[in-house]
Amino acid sequence: MLYPKPMTRTFATATSRQTKVFFGVFVLPVLAALALGGGQPAAAAAAAITWVAEPARFTDPQRREKLARAFPAIDQNIADFLRREKVPGAAWGVVIDGELVHVGVSGLRDVAGGAPVKPDSVFRIASMTKSFTAMAILQLRDTGELSLEDPVEKYLPELRQLRYPTADSPRITLRHLLMHAGGFPEDNPWGDQQLAISEARFDELLHEGIAFSNSPGIAYEYSNYGFALLGRVVSRVSGMQYKDYVQRQILRPLGMRSTTLEPQAVPPTRLALGYRREDDLWNLEPQLADGAFGAMGGMLTSLDDLARYVGLFLDAWPPRDGAAKPPLSRASLREMQQLWRARPTVVTRSAAGAIALNSGGYGYGLRISQSCDFGHIVAHSGGLPGFGSQMRWLPEYGVGLIAFGNRTYTGWGGVFDDALAALQQTGGLLPREVQPAPALREARSGINSLINGWDDALIERLAAMNLFLDRSEDRRRAEFAKLRETLGRCRERPGYLYSENALRGDWVLDCERGMAQVSVTLAPTVPPGVQHLELRALPPGADIAAVTGLPPRACPR
């Protein structure tokens, strides 16, 4: 793996609509669209594509250096956590733009032998395996070998005799299983102990039937059983064992040479042993062999390998032209990282009164959530007897965290929250900036010109077809004149206050007697016309973020 020159890889060992003009409120809503006549020559139509924008990008050249300043604090927080929770050994890393730029290790991978954890130690990652299974299903979908809407029994006829909870229950589909909506009960304690069962025993379980807690498709309920079924589908459709398919189609293309479903395949000098704490002693947990439930939680991996895997998902953003890297298209990788089955939102307050938001649910083999600080978080944890792990990343920020521990259900959630907070404090954890389409830049230039001097021809060129139907041209001219009278002449301030997408943006102008906020949304026409325009007068020195509420926040400030 290559590491960036600007940031060397670091290694840590841690032990109305009425127009009113006065300062504070000047609202001018404008709804519009400009239709493009048909019959234009192809060359002219191609030249008129003004709605395509450049991909979003990071704009701070010091971003990586700033983020690196958080690494000591992250290491210290993890060291404190490991000591407090009495975790025998651990390894963790920070991934930026797909590169493992910081590594930390602590403690022992083998307590009895006194062998320390090293950067290349291999840990079991349990349920983090589910995203590999989901990726395999999407690969087969993308090659036309199955559909997510197919009933599972199409590939597993042994499910045709299932007793569903109600007569109106739908047949379970592959999509149901991918997003934990198959209707099966949550089964973590039971499911963990099924990892190593034989295919024959799996057949017996299916013959005995599956108990339902819900009708399929109506609720989220985490199901290891469901992902074991998906693993069997991969085998049936591909014609090879699940572990062989994943090795050939996912691990090998990614260069994940240390990743396997079989503990015996890991060199003993690298294998992390798992433990549980009882009576203040470490008790060794047996390494469960790969079995029929391996698709739900059998994977073992190293920091370098998992960083490659997380980097693949990060590389799916932003959408852009150019060839994709194997083993899955960027579009399908982004599909996996979308919310497909919601869970109830939880809002709490800390002891200090701060609001905390946990909203989201499940994608395909991945947990998707939103917090007060981040609108799109992708993650998954893994827990088995002897192990606890987590991977978490922020697609729009290009940053991810990975960690392994060899104590039963090592819980990394709070540690990762603290790590993201430390990264935020550096000032370098910022999302990519959306780039405006040429049509939005043209609209911005034209509206700024109209604020300083009305031009009938210009507004007619920018506006959409309902502009003067919604409000007469005379009234709109008067509204712009009133704003100019209130603020005086205005000059453009560089950048955007907020850009939600390539065809929608807010910006600010500095004026002689205050500031003007402009909000614009373009219509889905070619070329895009201005369909919404709002102008607002702000007093000199106003706190723009407080007054405008932009950029928007999920929680009150």
Side-chain angles (χ1 to χ4, degrees), residues 251-313:
L251 303 182
R252 194 176 299 165
L254 283 172
M256 297 176 67
R257 299 180 180 88
S258 299
T259 304
T260 180
L261 282 150
E262 182 52 71
Q264 293 181 352
V266 181
T269 56
R270 296 180 61 193
L271 180 64
L273 305 182
Y275 299 89
R276 70 180 186 277
R277 189 76 170 176
E278 289 182 342
D279 301 325
D280 210 30
L281 296 173
W282 293 119
N283 291 319
L284 183 66
E285 290 279 6
Q287 288 272 9
L288 296 173
D290 179 43
F293 266 52
M296 70 83 180
M299 199 76 75
L300 300 92
T301 194
S302 65
L303 287 177
D304 270 335
D305 276 14
L306 189 59
R308 291 174 184 269
Y309 187 64
V310 169
L312 176 70
F313 285 98

Side-chain angles (χ1 to χ4, degrees), residues 187-513:
D187 61 355
N188 276 320
W190 175 86
D192 290 348
Q193 298 299 331
Q194 310 309 308
L195 185 63
I197 68 169
S198 67
E199 291 294 337
R201 176 57 185 148
F202 198 1
D203 289 336
E204 292 174 358
L205 286 173
L206 294 176
H207 179 72
E208 293 164 5
I210 304 175
F212 285 81
S213 56
N214 284 293
S215 176
I218 65 170
Y220 167 91
E221 194 156 4
Y222 194 84
S223 175
N224 291 295
Y225 209 149
F227 269 79
L229 292 171
L230 287 171
R232 181 167 274 204
V233 170
V234 171
S235 297
R236 295 277 175 86
V237 175
S238 68
M240 64 182 80
Q241 292 186 18
Y242 170 83
K243 65 179 180 180
D244 295 334
Y245 179 91
V246 171
Q247 181 66 236
R248 182 181 301 179
Q249 301 297 333
I250 298 177
L251 303 182
R252 194 176 299 165
L254 283 172
M256 297 176 67
R257 299 180 180 88
S258 299
T259 304
T260 180
L261 282 150
E262 182 52 71
Q264 293 181 352
V266 181
T269 56
R270 296 180 61 193
L271 180 64
L273 305 182
Y275 299 89
R276 70 180 186 277
R277 189 76 170 176
E278 289 182 342
D279 301 325
D280 210 30
L281 296 173
W282 293 119
N283 291 319
L284 183 66
E285 290 279 6
Q287 288 272 9
L288 296 173
D290 179 43
F293 266 52
M296 70 83 180
M299 199 76 75
L300 300 92
T301 194
S302 65
L303 287 177
D304 270 335
D305 276 14
L306 189 59
R308 291 174 184 269
Y309 187 64
V310 169
L312 176 70
F313 285 98
L314 287 171
D315 185 64
W317 307 89
R320 61 194 184 276
D321 295 332
K325 300 176 183 178
L328 194 65
S329 72
R330 289 194 296 268
S332 291
L333 287 165
R334 292 192 296 270
E335 183 182 356
M336 289 180 65
Q337 300 175 74
Q338 301 302 308
L339 178 63
W340 292 105
R341 172 56 60 177
R343 301 183 66 187
T345 295
V346 177
V347 179
T348 59
R349 285 189 181 274
S350 69
I355 294 175
L357 170 68
N358 187 342
S359 178
Y362 212 75
Y364 293 154
L366 294 165
R367 295 192 184 276
I368 315 301
S369 64
Q370 175 184 2
S371 69
C372 288
D373 294 321
F374 305 107
H376 187 192
I377 306 168
V378 184
H380 213 290
S381 59
L384 277 173
F387 298 97
S389 56
Q390 189 170 137
M391 57 182 177
R392 187 190 301 185
W393 62 89
L394 307 175
E396 288 80 9
Y397 294 72
V399 171
L401 303 168
I402 53 179
F404 315 134
N406 62 345
R407 177 182 175 173
T408 297
Y409 306 139
T410 309
W412 292 97
V415 179
F416 276 17
D417 291 343
D418 292 341
L420 290 178
L423 290 167
Q424 271 189 305
Q425 290 171 7
T426 69
L429 191 60
L430 297 172
R432 294 180 183 86
E433 290 189 6
V434 173
Q435 300 303 300
L440 183 58
R441 293 199 301 268
E442 180 184 0
R444 173 174 175 160
S445 176
I447 292 166
N448 291 348
S449 178
L450 289 168
I451 289 174
N452 286 319
W454 186 265
D455 183 319
D456 288 341
L458 176 57
I459 189 62
E460 289 169 4
R461 186 172 75 248
L462 294 176
M465 54 80 61
N466 66 319
L467 176 63
F468 302 126
L469 299 176
D470 184 48
R471 188 174 299 166
S472 72
E473 184 174 359
D474 288 341
R475 294 185 67 86
R476 297 188 184 282
R477 183 188 300 111
E479 289 161 354
F480 272 82
K482 188 64 175 180
L483 179 66
R484 188 162 54 251
E485 178 185 341
T486 302
L487 297 177
R489 290 194 63 81
C490 301
R491 64 184 183 279
E492 182 173 306
R493 178 184 295 187
Y496 284 77
L497 176 60
Y498 175 65
S499 294
E500 183 174 346
N501 55 53
L503 299 180
R504 177 181 295 168
D506 286 66
W507 63 89
V508 172
L509 293 86
D510 294 305
C511 307
E512 294 173 331
R513 295 183 293 277

Side-chain angles (χ1 to χ4, degrees), residues 23-82:
F23 285 121
V25 180
F26 182 94
V27 179
L28 176 62
V30 178
L31 298 174
L34 183 61
L36 181 67
Q40 294 185 350
I49 298 178
T50 59
W51 50 268
V52 176
E54 295 180 1
R57 62 175 179 259
F58 299 116
T59 58
D60 183 356
Q62 303 301 313
R63 165 176 165 266
R64 290 190 169 213
E65 287 78 3
K66 291 178 180 178
L67 291 171
R69 298 170 192 160
F71 297 166
I74 292 173
D75 294 336
Q76 186 60 56
N77 286 339
I78 292 177
D80 294 343
F81 162 75
L82 297 174

